[in-house]
Amino acid sequence: MDKIETTYTDASYWSDRWKNSQISFHKSVNHPFLEKYFHLLANDDTKIRIFFPLCGKEVDMAWLWSLGHEVVGVEFSEIACEQFFTENSINYKISTLSNFKLFKSLDNRIKLYNGDFFKMNRDVEKPFGYVWDRGSLVALPKDLRIRYVEHMLGLLGEKFKYLMDTYDYDQNLYPGPPHSVRMEEIQKLYGERCTIDLIESKMHNRPFNEKLRESNCLFNKLYFLKNKN
């Protein structure tokens, strides 16, 4: 079998996708995993502050905001930030920071930092205790996944809860994105600091190409990570 060369999906790649409106990855409904398992992050009437890395214009953010939670996102595409607020009819204001353009709802409960994820730090936002990764890790090539996780762990508080949506398939059959990130890699990236539990694994019903369709081995997986100590 000929090996397929993996697509190198850095910030420039994703910026071009947004500029050209090639955003089939964006979903206009809440992620079923988040709706089903949000109780792992918070239950009852607890209101949390939750981080959305590489957030795009995820409708999950508007949903959690409507429930009274506080949302913080980082997104490289200014187009995505603008469209999130306009498409969800949320009034907002814009301010310019040293490394970001900040899009913020008028009630201050949604903050989207438009800029480089790797410039987010504890001087910009206090450490996070909750994270929803909707396809962010799998949006990156392998070398950037290593850097991403190292940086992400530096943004977390001493105690944290982290839901992560991933894909698992034979990368020889499809170049990505989304990329295949299996348990072995997740354990290597996060295992020193986190406990890692596979919460759900299901067949993905819309294979990305014909080879994956024929393989019948494309899985959408949800992991739950917590601090070890």
Side-chain angles (χ1 to χ4, degrees):
M1 181 186 298
D2 294 333
K3 186 173 183 179
I4 295 179
E5 184 175 351
T6 303
T7 305
Y8 196 76
T9 49
D10 58 3
S12 176
Y13 170 90
W14 289 113
S15 180
D16 287 343
R17 291 280 298 263
W18 281 101
K19 287 177 182 176
N20 296 318
S21 297
Q22 296 174 341
I23 55 170
S24 58
F25 53 85
H26 172 72
K27 306 304 177 188
S28 58
V29 296
N30 296 333
H31 198 300
F33 279 165
L34 184 62
E35 290 187 331
K36 185 176 181 180
Y37 296 106
F38 183 70
H39 66 275
L40 294 175
L41 299 180
N43 50 37
D44 301 324
D45 295 325
T46 304
K47 303 305 179 189
I48 65 172
R49 170 176 164 270
I50 184 168
F51 184 43
F52 283 69
L54 315 183
C55 62
K57 57 176 181 177
E58 290 181 43
V59 295
D60 299 331
M61 297 188 290
W63 175 58
L64 292 182
W65 172 77
S66 75
L67 296 178
H69 301 289
E70 182 180 347
V71 170
V72 180
V74 177
E75 171 53 47
F76 190 74
S77 170
E78 183 174 348
I79 295 170
C81 294
E82 290 176 344
Q83 289 183 356
F84 168 77
F85 284 99
T86 57
E87 291 177 7
N88 291 286
S89 301
I90 300 172
N91 294 323
Y92 67 100
K93 53 191 174 184
I94 301 175
S95 57
T96 301
L97 310 178
S98 57
N99 290 316
F100 296 97
K101 180 179 285 188
L102 176 60
F103 290 73
K104 183 162 60 174
S105 62
L106 297 186
D107 66 0
N108 295 323
R109 286 195 297 107
I110 302 177
K111 292 188 284 185
L112 302 189
Y113 289 89
N114 170 219
D116 185 350
F117 168 79
F118 295 108
K119 292 184 179 178
M120 171 60 74
N121 57 51
R122 294 183 179 212
D123 293 330
V124 179
E125 284 283 335
K126 64 184 179 182
F128 297 103
Y130 303 91
V131 179
W132 167 233
D133 179 327
R134 181 173 181 166
S136 301
L137 182 68
V138 297
L140 300 172
K142 190 166 186 176
D143 63 323
L144 287 184
R145 292 199 292 269
I146 296 170
R147 187 181 172 202
Y148 167 87
V149 173
E150 289 175 349
H151 192 74
M152 173 65 81
L153 291 174
L155 300 176
L156 300 180
E158 183 178 345
K159 294 184 180 298
F160 56 85
K161 297 179 179 180
Y162 191 138
L163 283 173
M164 184 165 59
D165 167 47
T166 70
Y167 289 97
D168 184 332
Y169 62 87
D170 182 351
Q171 190 93 57
N172 290 320
L173 301 178
Y174 176 68
H179 300 291
S180 176
V181 180
R182 292 178 161 165
M183 180 58 157
E184 294 81 5
E185 181 177 353
I186 293 170
Q187 185 67 46
K188 184 176 181 180
L189 291 171
Y190 290 94
E192 185 174 337
R193 188 168 171 194
C194 308
T195 62
I196 304 166
D197 293 305
L198 174 62
I199 302 301
E200 185 170 335
S201 175
K202 65 179 183 179
M203 291 286 293
H204 188 59
N205 59 10
R206 291 191 299 168
F208 309 125
N209 68 5
E210 190 59 33
K211 288 184 177 181
L212 282 177
R213 186 184 306 278
E214 292 172 356
S215 76
N216 204 34
C217 290
L218 169 60
F219 296 92
N220 190 194
K221 296 188 175 185
L222 180 74
Y223 293 91
F224 179 51
L225 286 65
K226 287 180 63 177
N227 53 283
K228 277 190 171 179
N229 301 316

